[in-house]
Amino acid sequence: MDLAGALQLGELAAAFAALPIFPLFDAAYFIVSVLYLKYEPGAVEMSRKSPFASWLCAMLHCFGSYILADLLLGEAPIHYFSNNSSVILATAIWYLIFFCPMNLFYKCVSFLPVKLIFVAMKEVVRVRKIAAGVHHAHHQYHHGWFIMMATGWVKGSGVALMSNFEQLLRGVWKPETNEILHMSFPTKASLYGTVLFTLQQTHWLPVSEANLIFFFTMFMIVCKVFMTATHSHASPFAPVEGFICPVFFGSVSSGHTSHDQHGASHEVSHPPPPPVKSKEELNEGTRKRKAKKAE
C-alpha cells in the first residue's frame, strides 16, 4: 500500500513538473508583478506622464530575473525579449491594469479571492524558474556550485534584486531599500530553494527533481497565500533565523549596548565646557570694570 502511494505521489509530482507554464501561469505571474508595480507610490501618476517609463518598469517586474541571469552567465540581457508571445502578453496585462476604463480589470484581479489564486500560480512559476536556472548553470559549469546558486537565486528573486535600478526609472532613489540588506520572504525562500536544487542537481540530495519541485512549490504556495491573505510581512524563517544567527554571527544588540556604555562613560569623564559668553555680556563686564576703576 505504501509502495502504491509512493508511486502515485511520484506520478503526481512528475505530471506537476511537466505542466506547461505558458500562457496561464505566466499570465498570473505578470498580473501579480504589475499589480505590485501599481502599488508603488507615484506609479499611477508616472503612467500618465510617461507611459514608456511605466512600460519599462513593468517589463523589469516581469522579466527582471531573466535579465540578471543572462548577465551572470555572459549572455545578452535582452535575449528573453525575443520571446514575442510573452512580451505581448505582459504588455497587454500592463495596459489593462493601468489604463482599462473605470479600472475594471484592476478591480477584478485585485479582488482578494481572485488575487490569492494568482499569487499561488505565481509561486509555481517562481519555483520552476529556480529549477531552470540551476539546471542551466549546471549545464555550463558542472562543478560551479556557487554559480548554480547565484543563477537560481536571481531567477527566483525576480526584480527584487533590481529594485534600486527600477526605482531610478520612476525617478525615485532609496538606497536604504536595498533588497540584499533587507531581504523579503520571496528573496530568502529563493535563496534557500536554490541551495536545495543545487544539492539535488549535484546528486548530494537523494530526491528527484520532480519531487523537489512539487514539495517546494507547495511550501511556497502555502506561505505566500497565507501572508497575502493576512497582510502579514513576518517571515516563516524568522524563528529559525532568530535561533541560529546569534549563535554563528553574534548578536547586534550586544554591540550597540557596549558602544552606548562606552559613550556614556566617555561623557562622564569629560564634562561639557562652560558656555561661551556673548558679546553683550563681555561689553557689560568691561563697562563695570571701568566704572569701578573710576570710583
Side-chain angles (χ1 to χ4, degrees):
M1 187 69 180
D2 293 338
L3 180 60
L7 289 175
Q8 291 178 357
L9 182 61
E11 293 174 358
L12 176 63
F16 180 79
L19 197 65
I21 294 298
F22 185 85
L24 292 179
F25 288 92
D26 274 346
Y29 185 92
F30 298 154
I31 287 173
V32 178
S33 298
V34 179
L35 276 178
Y36 288 156
L37 171 61
K38 191 168 184 177
Y39 293 156
E40 292 292 333
V44 177
E45 292 78 5
M46 180 192 65
S47 67
R48 303 300 190 268
K49 295 178 181 178
S50 178
F52 182 68
S54 177
W55 178 81
L56 280 179
C57 292
M59 295 304 103
L60 280 181
H61 274 263
C62 295
F63 306 115
S65 57
Y66 298 102
I67 295 173
L68 277 180
D70 289 338
L71 286 173
L72 285 179
L73 296 177
E75 300 177 0
I78 60 173
H79 171 72
Y80 193 80
F81 285 88
S82 62
N83 191 341
N84 297 326
S85 301
S86 295
V87 176
I88 292 174
L89 178 61
T91 301
I93 290 173
W94 161 77
Y95 184 85
L96 289 173
I97 288 180
F98 276 94
F99 302 104
C100 182
M102 301 175 62
N103 264 344
L104 289 178
F105 187 79
Y106 169 76
K107 292 176 182 178
C108 291
V109 297
S110 61
F111 181 54
L112 186 58
V114 178
K115 182 181 176 181
L116 293 179
I117 297 175
F118 290 142
V119 167
M121 296 174 70
K122 179 180 180 179
E123 297 311 310
V124 175
V125 180
R126 187 195 305 276
V127 177
R128 198 74 65 87
K129 286 164 68 176
I130 295 174
V134 172
H135 181 79
H136 188 188
H138 179 261
H139 181 71
Q140 297 189 18
Y141 304 92
H142 296 287
H143 304 289
W145 284 35
F146 292 101
I147 299 177
M148 298 180 208
M149 293 179 187
T151 307
W153 185 37
V154 300
K155 273 290 191 76
S157 299
V159 75
L161 297 175
M162 300 176 66
S163 58
N164 293 115
F165 178 72
E166 187 269 335
Q167 288 170 0
L168 285 177
L169 291 179
R170 293 189 284 111
V172 179
W173 175 243
K174 294 181 179 179
E176 68 276 5
T177 60
N178 192 319
E179 185 68 17
I180 297 179
L181 295 177
H182 308 284
M183 287 191 187
S184 60
F185 166 73
T187 304
K188 285 185 179 180
S190 298
L191 179 59
Y192 299 148
T194 193
V195 172
L196 294 177
F197 280 100
T198 300
L199 293 175
Q200 187 278 328
Q201 195 71 40
T202 53
H203 306 290
W204 283 84
L205 188 64
V207 63
S208 66
E209 185 180 23
N211 286 335
L212 185 57
I213 289 176
F214 178 77
F215 287 112
F216 192 69
T217 302
M218 294 301 108
F219 167 76
M220 291 295 294
I221 288 176
V222 171
C223 292
K224 201 68 175 71
V225 168
F226 175 79
M227 294 173 66
T228 305
T230 58
H231 303 284
S232 172
H233 297 284
S235 172
F237 304 120
V240 180
E241 293 173 348
F243 175 76
I244 294 178
C245 290
V247 176
F248 290 97
F249 305 110
S251 177
V252 178
S253 59
S254 62
H256 283 289
T257 304
S258 61
H259 179 72
D260 294 340
Q261 290 176 352
H262 176 72
S265 62
H266 181 74
E267 290 177 359
V268 172
S269 59
H270 297 281
V276 180
K277 292 184 178 181
S278 64
K279 188 179 292 185
E280 289 79 4
E281 291 174 344
L282 291 174
N283 292 336
E284 183 67 22
T286 304
R287 285 197 298 270
K288 287 182 178 180
R289 285 196 298 272
K290 287 182 179 179
K292 197 171 184 180
K293 287 181 180 178
E295 290 176 357

